[in-house]
Amino acid sequence: MRTETGAFSAPLPADCSPALPLNEILIGDCLEQLARLPAASVDAVFADPPYNLQLESTLSRPDQSLVDAVNDDWDKFDSFSHYDSFSRSWLKAVRRVMKPEATLFVIGSYHNIFRVGSTLQDEGFWILNDIVWRKANPMPNFRGRRFTNAHETLIWAAKDSAAKNYRFNYELLKAGNEDCQLRSDWLFPICTGAERLKGSDGRKTHPTQKPEALLARILIAATNPGDVVLDPFFGSGTTGAAAKRLGRHFVGIERDKTYAAAARARIDAVETLPEAAIALTPSKRTEPRVAFSAIVEAGLIAPGDSLVDDKQRHRATVRADGAITLGPVVGSIHKIGALAQGLPACNGWTYWHFAQGGKLQPIDALRTVARGKLREAEA
Amino acid sequence: MRTETGAFSAPLPADCSPALPLNEILIGDCLEQLARLPAASVDAVFADPPYNLQLESTLSRPDQSLVDAVNDDWDKFDSFSHYDSFSRSWLKAVRRVMKPEATLFVIGSYHNIFRVGSTLQDEGFWILNDIVWRKANPMPNFRGRRFTNAHETLIWAAKDSAAKNYRFNYELLKAGNEDCQLRSDWLFPICTGAERLKGSDGRKTHPTQKPEALLARILIAATNPGDVVLDPFFGSGTTGAAAKRLGRHFVGIERDKTYAAAARARIDAVETLPEAAIALTPSKRTEPRVAFSAIVEAGLIAPGDSLVDDKQRHRATVRADGAITLGPVVGSIHKIGALAQGLPACNGWTYWHFAQGGKLQPIDALRTVARGKLREAEA
DNA sequence: CAGCACAGTGAATCGGCGA
DNA sequence: CTCGCCGATTCACTGTGCT
């Protein structure tokens, strides 16, 4: 049932049971495999259970191309109560295997995360944080019927409320984040490009491969080099890849042999970082994009105020929602600016002006102010 | 039991029951007050239910000054199941009062949101999105044992899975956001400064006052001017303040007379924005349908005229009955457009063009003209 | 080779109306 | 109910191929 042990350079944990199969992918049912592991043996758990997505039919993009949706059998459940009993059973089994100071990370979307969160609270886990993975490049909502589903939620929990000595590398994270304590909202791109595993046909190997950067942050936050992280839904093996790169050990459980084989090959190709490099994660910062609605919300300009072009030929009115009106027409600062000039496009930030001390100022000046405030707030 | 009706300038909803007490704060138990409201009478609900906060001992900052934690009597529940039955009862009562097309927003933190989310799914609500309120200026984690709790979670849900026609002002939100559809992560500062209600002693009036900008975005997204929003945990009245400012009506329920009085005074001081700043304009989705045959009948285009795509790869002919022909095939502008491109579907209004003064114009321009004539005729 | 245009794609509970 | 048709709807990024 086991694949071969990968060559590995991380130090062996001093207190680990000899029965714990380190750096292996156990192929089979998650509950059966968990039952074979020794109690209180792992330092951390990352779990990416099926989300129970329920798309009713196919979805096409505005250009009529089809979205390749998650439609696998492993993601199908008959009801909430079936899903809940599934959650209860794997959470129980995972909890037995956790050391007292170990913590659990579970990731999910609104389809399943509220059920998982309730269930793990019922099972005695103690939630430390919920963490938001903000996707830098999510798939849009093609029908314009909802907000772009731009994040997933992680729950970070200790084994119970008495576990006060859970592992958390606070100083390390702070040092890697410009000396600022890490917030509960994390920004990462989704997994694409060279990192994304693809088969010989060029199609994605696994429908929901997680970015390695996400797992790296989790492992840096909640484990030390040489620790063991368990992943009961191993999939494409991101947990294993991040663990090996960062000098941690992993135990993976995966039902699907194809996924397990792809994960094994992927992990074997990973090289552990030199010890000195393992300490810190780079944190990317990007210039915040500021919407005109944020200017209105911040009170820098009031709904009902007038905007004019520099020669005062056109006069528009600011709306509470951050759109503007010109006569009967409502639209963005850019669209309405284009309309006023009879042009196909327009930069509303430089076209529209507001009066300040008898003088006209482009609204772009307000954006500069808002960016300053934003940086202050985030620093 | 009621406070006085506030002076208010929003238009009365045409179909609202006379028993719905508009723009009032009903003082008393939330379940009792909800039971008195007529069924299917409100357009939206915002709920900020008490959090089951678990601060075990007094928390102090590094400088030993005390943190004024949420520690009032209404915030103590002895167990998860007690909290769940509380959630179930208010969610049931709220659901009865919602119109079929109404939606619900609930806000919470990791202490309670997973319980509330599960319960509302069990009660038949259909989650549309979970939304993250990212706090620009959260309170840091003083002990350095967790991530900074920098967000709260909102659940947006329709009354049931069949409610497809829930209200959502997609186009407005997009226009206010740089012509880019709004994501599920929202950035707002927490409520501080002049906006934060304070008593004569200078202490904050309510422990968890929400920023008005957050409520404003919710109301802009999910209600129209003149709509009624219900808030069963009214607190400091942010929902009422935002509703009045944006020309919506509210119904508030609050148990604590001190909070209700502070909220009433606060709302009375709010002025409704000018209509141009809040009025809805018709979106493509809500405009009356115009058949292509009506365009032909109105003489805006003549039978026998040619239609081409923007690159002039295909040429169709207009028929007197409003169908078009492409070679031997006859069909609607949409069907023939799809056929020409070999796609499963096509919007013929934007695909087909006609020549005007040497330039190509989409036939959608003719539809705009026809709709204008229609409005004139009706006026 | 640089630069640009265009195609492809990602955990997604993604209509309304009349017959 | 279902069926059929109208007609509305996308952001950030990667990879490829042409000029």
Side-chain angles (χ1 to χ4, degrees):
Chain A
M1 291 288 272
R2 296 180 190 173
T3 62
E4 291 156 65
T5 303
F8 222 73
S9 62
L12 281 180
D15 58 347
C16 94
S17 155
L20 193 62
L22 285 189
N23 309 316
E24 291 188 20
I25 306 170
L26 313 178
I27 298 172
D29 174 74
C30 139
L31 296 181
E32 283 174 23
Q33 294 297 329
L34 282 169
R36 297 176 175 202
L37 301 181
S41 60
V42 306
D43 300 283
V45 181
F46 173 80
D48 184 8
Y51 285 13
N52 192 21
L53 297 183
Q54 296 157 40
L55 187 65
E56 292 196 354
S57 59
T58 57
L59 178 67
S60 55
R61 299 188 176 82
D63 67 2
Q64 307 301 329
S65 65
L66 274 185
V67 172
D68 181 16
V70 175
N71 195 22
D72 304 77
D73 285 341
W74 50 254
D75 199 42
K76 295 198 193 318
F77 294 85
D78 293 335
S79 65
F80 284 136
S81 89
H82 281 91
Y83 189 81
D84 292 343
S85 59
F86 163 73
S87 300
R88 200 154 37 241
S89 56
W90 73 257
L91 282 164
K92 258 188 213 298
V94 150
R95 194 153 173 265
R96 184 187 68 84
V97 175
M98 287 167 69
K99 290 184 186 171
E101 68 274 19
T103 59
L104 162 76
F105 286 81
V106 196
I107 188 166
S109 67
Y110 67 84
H111 311 85
N112 71 326
I113 198 67
F114 303 112
R115 323 247 24 132
V116 174
S118 284
T119 305
L120 69 82
Q121 285 181 314
D122 290 340
E123 288 301 315
F125 284 96
W126 190 249
I127 299 182
L128 299 169
N129 276 117
D130 58 338
I131 294 159
V132 173
W133 167 30
R134 299 175 54 222
K135 301 182 183 184
N137 47 351
M139 178 153 65
N141 184 290
F142 295 117
R143 292 292 154 90
R145 297 293 298 155
R146 304 181 178 198
F147 299 99
T148 307
N149 217 328
H151 74 276
E152 293 187 21
T153 302
L154 290 142
I155 299 175
W156 182 39
K159 200 170 174 180
D160 54 61
S161 66
K164 301 289 187 195
N165 61 334
Y166 56 86
R167 207 154 291 166
F168 182 50
N169 295 320
Y170 173 78
E171 290 80 9
L172 207 58
L173 292 165
K174 190 173 168 181
N177 189 45
E178 299 175 3
D179 268 330
C180 183
Q181 57 175 233
L182 216 53
R183 298 166 44 113
S184 56
D185 52 335
W186 300 355
L187 180 67
F188 291 107
I190 60 174
C191 181
T192 58
E195 189 187 330
R196 187 86 196 214
L197 297 189
K198 296 191 184 79
S200 52
D201 55 357
R203 291 169 54 105
K204 55 193 178 194
T205 301
H206 192 278
T208 68
Q209 185 180 341
K210 296 290 174 290
E212 197 182 314
L214 178 70
L215 269 294
R217 178 170 290 176
I218 288 171
L219 293 180
I220 289 168
T223 66
N224 293 336
D227 278 0
V228 180
V229 56
L230 165 71
D231 185 337
F233 307 99
F234 203 61
S236 57
T238 308
T239 304
K244 183 172 175 191
R245 202 180 304 278
L246 294 170
R248 275 74 169 170
H249 299 282
F250 69 87
V251 176
I253 302 173
E254 174 54 47
R255 196 163 75 169
D256 183 302
K257 287 179 184 172
T258 315
Y259 293 160
R264 180 79 266 167
R266 172 189 184 187
I267 294 163
D268 288 344
V270 168
E271 283 186 30
T272 301
L273 289 170
E275 208 175 312
I278 284 176
L280 300 181
T281 34
S283 67
K284 263 195 266 179
R285 297 187 78 92
T286 52
E287 181 73 4
R289 181 171 177 160
V290 177
F292 188 63
S293 66
I295 308 281
V296 179
E297 283 155 3
L300 295 170
I301 197 161
D305 282 3
S306 281
L307 299 182
V308 292
D309 62 291
D310 61 345
K311 301 205 175 120
Q312 307 205 38
R313 281 180 293 213
H314 301 284
R315 178 168 300 267
T317 307
V318 174
R319 295 169 46 95
D321 47 40
I324 62 175
T325 63
L326 181 73
V329 197
V330 174
S332 69
I333 50 171
H334 311 296
K335 283 264 171 69
I336 299 295
L339 183 74
Q341 301 173 89
L343 291 174
C346 160
N347 182 348
W349 292 109
T350 52
Y351 180 72
W352 294 110
H353 295 63
F354 66 103
Q356 190 178 49
K359 277 190 179 175
L360 288 184
Q361 287 258 11
I363 56 176
D364 206 21
L366 300 175
R367 189 163 59 156
T368 310
V369 174
R371 281 212 175 109
K373 286 194 175 179
L374 213 65
R375 253 192 298 273
E376 267 174 44
E378 286 192 350
Chain B
M1 291 288 274
R2 296 179 188 173
T3 62
E4 291 155 67
T5 304
F8 220 74
S9 62
L12 281 179
D15 59 345
C16 94
S17 155
L20 193 63
L22 286 190
N23 308 314
E24 293 188 19
I25 307 171
L26 312 178
I27 299 174
D29 174 73
C30 138
L31 296 181
E32 282 174 23
Q33 294 298 328
L34 282 170
R36 297 178 175 202
L37 301 180
S41 60
V42 306
D43 301 283
V45 180
F46 174 81
D48 182 11
Y51 295 10
N52 184 21
L53 288 189
Q54 301 140 336
L55 281 182
E56 285 183 350
S57 55
T58 315
L59 182 68
S60 53
R61 293 197 176 92
D63 64 1
Q64 300 304 312
S65 66
L66 282 184
V67 172
D68 188 6
V70 175
N71 206 17
D72 297 302
D73 281 346
W74 52 255
D75 223 353
K76 291 198 170 64
F77 288 88
D78 41 24
S79 69
F80 287 131
S81 75
H82 188 173
Y83 191 81
D84 291 344
S85 60
F86 164 71
S87 301
R88 198 153 36 242
S89 55
W90 74 257
L91 282 164
K92 257 189 215 297
V94 150
R95 194 153 175 266
R96 183 188 69 85
V97 174
M98 287 167 69
K99 289 184 186 171
E101 68 273 20
T103 59
L104 162 76
F105 287 81
V106 196
I107 189 167
S109 67
Y110 66 83
H111 306 88
N112 70 329
I113 199 66
F114 302 112
R115 323 257 9 142
V116 174
S118 283
T119 305
L120 69 81
Q121 285 181 314
D122 290 339
E123 287 301 314
F125 284 96
W126 192 246
I127 299 182
L128 299 169
N129 277 117
D130 60 337
I131 295 160
V132 173
W133 166 30
R134 300 176 54 222
K135 302 180 183 183
N137 46 352
M139 184 163 73
N141 185 287
F142 295 115
R143 288 184 177 154
R145 292 294 294 146
R146 303 182 183 200
F147 299 99
T148 304
N149 219 325
H151 75 275
E152 292 188 25
T153 302
L154 289 142
I155 299 175
W156 182 38
K159 200 171 174 181
D160 55 63
S161 66
K164 301 284 190 189
N165 61 334
Y166 55 86
R167 208 152 292 166
F168 182 49
N169 293 320
Y170 174 79
E171 295 83 5
L172 274 188
L173 295 165
K174 187 173 168 177
N177 189 48
E178 298 282 282
D179 286 322
C180 183
Q181 64 177 214
L182 220 53
R183 298 168 41 116
S184 57
D185 52 336
W186 300 356
L187 180 67
F188 290 108
I190 61 174
C191 183
T192 55
E195 189 187 329
R196 186 87 197 218
L197 296 189
K198 297 192 183 77
S200 51
D201 55 358
R203 292 171 55 113
K204 52 195 178 195
T205 302
H206 191 276
T208 63
Q209 184 179 341
K210 297 290 174 289
E212 196 181 314
L214 178 70
L215 268 295
R217 177 169 291 177
I218 289 171
L219 294 181
I220 288 167
T223 66
N224 293 340
D227 277 1
V228 180
V229 55
L230 166 71
D231 185 336
F233 308 101
F234 204 61
S236 57
T238 308
T239 304
K244 184 173 175 189
R245 203 181 302 279
L246 294 170
R248 274 76 169 170
H249 299 282
F250 68 88
V251 176
I253 301 173
E254 175 53 49
R255 191 162 87 167
D256 184 302
K257 286 181 186 173
T258 315
Y259 292 160
R264 180 79 266 167
R266 172 189 185 190
I267 294 163
D268 287 344
V270 167
E271 282 186 31
T272 302
L273 289 169
E275 206 194 329
I278 50 182
L280 282 185
T281 52
S283 69
K284 276 197 172 180
R285 266 188 256 262
T286 57
E287 288 263 69
R289 293 202 169 196
V290 176
F292 187 63
S293 61
I295 307 281
V296 179
E297 282 157 9
L300 294 169
I301 197 160
D305 283 2
S306 280
L307 298 183
V308 294
D309 63 291
D310 62 342
K311 297 197 177 130
Q312 306 205 41
R313 282 181 290 216
H314 301 284
R315 179 168 301 269
T317 307
V318 175
R319 290 163 47 100
D321 55 14
I324 62 175
T325 62
L326 181 73
V329 198
V330 176
S332 70
I333 50 172
H334 312 295
K335 276 277 162 62
I336 300 297
L339 181 75
Q341 298 174 90
L343 289 175
C346 163
N347 183 343
W349 292 109
T350 52
Y351 180 73
W352 294 111
H353 295 62
F354 65 102
Q356 188 177 52
K359 276 190 178 177
L360 288 183
Q361 286 262 8
I363 56 176
D364 205 21
L366 300 176
R367 188 166 58 156
T368 309
V369 174
R371 280 186 178 138
K373 287 193 177 181
L374 214 66
R375 259 190 294 273
E376 269 175 44
E378 283 184 356

